[in-house]
Amino acid sequence: MTQVRYHVLHETHYRYAWPVSMSRQLLHLTPRETPRQTTLAHRVDITPVPAERERRTDYFGNRVEHISVGAAHEELAVLATSTVDVRRIGDAPRPQSPAWEHVRDRLHQVGPAPLLEPCQYLYASPHIEPLAALARYARLDFHRDRPLFDATCALMRRIHRDFEFDPEATTVSTPLETLLKQRRGVCQDFAHFMIGCLRSLGLPARYVSGYLLTQPPPGQPRLIGADASHAWVSVFCPGAGWLDFDPTNCVQPDDQHITVAWGRDFSDVTPMRGVILGGGEHVVEVRVTVMPEGDARPARTCAEATQPLEPE
């Protein structure tokens, strides 16, 4: 199984109309360790320098960091720099999966103890409500006795076909019912929608956040800041574990997807969120760069860290 090494820059820059006297933030910016992914180095540079920093592991096993900035500031800049190895699945054998109804019934048994870890992804969460309309949409692919893997692949393909990528169509609070009607949105919406479809059938599905390698036009250099955060879906299959599906691109994630965090939905894995005192109106700029090792590196930005990475 071959692997690809990536260098990832994730820059977040807030500019405030008035000074902020205090800022407390929670960061989900550290790539996860998985059977297919190893984080070799990671650091987060913050300006102004926080008075407090605390690293821990959250309920879902994600590496998170709490920061507190007490000095007055009109700008807050956060630069996460990571080096990650991702192993390629390639042409691995198609996973054997039971009928989807068997998976559903097994996870809802009252007798023997159910599989507790996937069961927490069966229910409604802040951004995902398992609606009857989603169940009707999903059942077109989830025929009786159809293997879970085959049915989920078909659902992913149909979402990709039925929905159009449109970054202006939705916000983080757009309900799934609205998304179903307008059928336009971004990767976060498509992941939420697919998870809602699966949960509406009684199947466990979780939200995965990370990065996706994008390809520049032929003959053009890879530009800093041209990539973006990405989101996809994991479905639990007894015997095979968690299987990933990317409805935005209609693929099973492989060595071009870098996993940062997972949870019930976007609210559990927001890259950066918190509270501030003061500030008034603000403007935020987010830039992501994913560079495979061996690519010709573009010119470095003035915001890029100059200190060596901290080994994990």
Side-chain angles (χ1 to χ4, degrees):
M1 188 162 54
T2 60
Q3 67 183 23
V4 182
R5 179 163 297 175
Y6 293 103
H7 302 285
V8 182
L9 308 177
H10 187 148
E11 304 172 79
T12 306
H13 197 163
Y14 282 89
R15 294 180 176 86
Y16 303 101
W18 304 99
V20 172
S21 59
M22 187 278 291
S23 176
R24 297 186 65 88
Q25 304 291 332
L26 173 64
L27 312 180
H28 283 89
L29 294 171
T30 307
R32 284 194 70 125
E33 297 291 314
T34 75
R36 292 184 46 248
Q37 179 175 295
T38 301
T39 302
L40 303 176
H42 175 75
R43 67 174 295 118
V44 180
D45 294 287
I46 303 167
T47 306
V49 176
E52 300 177 18
R53 298 182 70 161
E54 177 191 1
R55 296 176 180 174
R56 65 176 180 85
T57 300
D58 71 8
Y59 173 80
F60 300 101
N62 305 307
R63 297 276 298 279
V64 299
E65 186 168 1
H66 294 265
I67 65 170
S68 177
V69 180
H73 56 280
E74 295 183 7
E75 297 186 20
L76 177 63
V78 177
L79 172 63
T81 312
S82 307
T83 301
V84 183
D85 278 348
V86 181
R87 285 166 284 284
R88 177 175 174 78
I89 297 175
D91 299 323
R94 188 184 188 90
Q96 297 296 313
S97 62
W100 71 270
E101 305 100 313
H102 174 78
V103 177
R104 177 199 61 197
D105 295 344
R106 181 177 175 185
L107 291 165
H108 289 267
Q109 288 177 354
V110 179
L115 300 166
L116 296 179
E117 196 269 340
C119 280
Q120 64 190 327
Y121 300 102
L122 284 170
Y123 308 106
S125 56
H127 290 297
I128 301 174
E129 183 180 357
L131 304 168
L134 302 185
R136 289 192 295 271
Y137 183 92
R139 280 193 176 276
L140 294 178
D141 296 306
F142 282 75
H143 311 147
R144 183 177 178 180
D145 295 329
R146 191 174 193 182
L148 174 63
F149 179 81
D150 295 352
T152 306
C153 281
L155 175 63
M156 174 183 70
R157 289 192 292 267
R158 191 152 55 89
I159 292 172
H160 180 74
R161 183 179 67 245
D162 290 352
F163 288 73
E164 182 176 347
F165 188 89
D166 183 352
E168 305 299 324
T170 58
T171 69
V172 68
S173 59
T174 299
L176 291 183
E177 196 168 23
T178 301
L179 182 67
L180 179 58
K181 292 177 181 177
Q182 65 185 27
R183 305 205 175 190
R184 305 171 74 88
V186 296
C187 60
Q188 174 184 290
D189 301 307
F190 305 151
H192 281 162
F193 182 81
M194 185 170 176
I195 293 169
C197 287
L198 293 162
R199 290 182 189 169
S200 71
L201 298 178
L203 297 169
R206 67 189 182 192
Y207 182 99
V208 186
S209 72
Y211 307 113
L212 174 66
L213 175 69
T214 58
Q215 299 297 337
Q220 298 296 314
R222 188 176 302 281
L223 300 177
I224 281 187
D227 300 302
S229 295
H230 194 51
W232 58 96
V233 177
S234 274
V235 180
F236 183 76
C237 177
W242 289 96
L243 304 176
D244 288 351
F245 298 87
D246 180 352
T248 304
N249 295 290
C250 199
V251 297
Q252 277 200 275
D254 201 344
D255 59 350
Q256 295 189 339
H257 289 68
I258 301 167
T259 301
V260 173
W262 58 61
R264 297 165 301 164
D265 61 35
F266 176 74
S267 66
D268 288 330
V269 298
T270 310
M272 182 171 171
R273 73 175 184 207
V275 295
I276 62 174
L277 292 179
E281 297 292 328
H282 71 269
V283 175
V284 61
E285 179 183 10
V286 179
R287 289 154 41 98
V288 175
T289 306
V290 180
M291 294 177 293
E293 190 167 87
D295 270 19
R297 287 183 64 103
R300 294 164 70 87
T301 66
C302 60
E304 188 169 344
T306 57
Q307 298 171 296
L309 299 183
E310 297 173 356
E312 283 292 292

